[in-house]
């Protein structure tokens, strides 16, 4: 699915933002220096991380709901049933060709 790499990217960016925010907050608490990266403070990185993770969860939930639609489930079950039936009958109709030849010889 093309959505999975986007979900992975959002999770990675969320955890990265949380890690950067944690490092900035640790520097803030241990020194008098008030660090910021391009004007973003530790709380900003927290908000970015939370937003990225919520977006990833929303994408994953939407993808899951899409796979559970009744028509999609019915089509998938039909295809699986046909594959199982074809596997029982033999690959590419070899059994039916043999049955036809044996009927012709009788």
């Amino acid at each position: 699915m093309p959505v999975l790499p986007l979900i992975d990217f959002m999770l990675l960016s969320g955890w990265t933002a949380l890690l950067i925010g944690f490092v900035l907050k640790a520097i803030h608490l241990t020194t008098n220096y008030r660090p910021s990266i391009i004007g973003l403070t530790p709380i900003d990185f927290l908000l970015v991380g939370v937003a990225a993770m919520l977006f990833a969860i929303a994408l994953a939930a939407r993808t899951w709901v899409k796979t559970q639609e009744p028509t999609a489930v019915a089509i998938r079950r039909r295809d699986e049933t046909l594959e199982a039936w074809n596997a029982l009958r033999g690959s590419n109709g070899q059994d039916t060709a043999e049955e036809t030849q044996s009927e012709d010889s009788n």
Side-chain angles (χ1 to χ4, degrees):
M1 276 190 179
V3 175
L4 294 179
L6 182 59
I7 292 171
D8 291 340
F9 174 72
M10 294 306 297
L11 288 173
L12 178 66
S13 63
W15 282 110
T16 303
L18 288 176
L19 180 65
I20 292 171
F22 174 76
V23 169
L24 290 179
K25 189 63 175 179
I27 293 170
H28 176 82
L29 291 174
T30 57
T31 65
N32 287 333
Y33 180 63
R34 301 299 175 240
S36 65
I37 298 176
I38 58 172
L40 297 175
T41 61
I43 193 73
D44 296 330
F45 281 103
L46 173 68
L47 294 175
V48 167
V50 168
M53 289 191 181
L54 286 175
F55 185 64
I57 290 170
L59 279 176
R62 179 165 164 62
T63 304
W64 181 81
V65 167
K66 183 72 174 165
T67 61
Q68 300 303 315
E69 286 182 343
T71 55
V73 170
I75 291 170
R76 188 171 56 240
R77 284 185 183 161
R78 182 195 68 199
D79 293 341
E80 290 171 356
T81 303
L82 288 175
E83 287 176 14
W85 175 253
N86 289 334
L88 287 175
R89 297 284 293 167
S91 62
N92 297 328
Q94 290 176 351
D95 290 344
T96 52
E98 292 172 4
E99 290 173 2
T100 306
Q101 289 176 356
S102 65
E103 289 175 6
D104 290 340
S105 63
N106 290 333

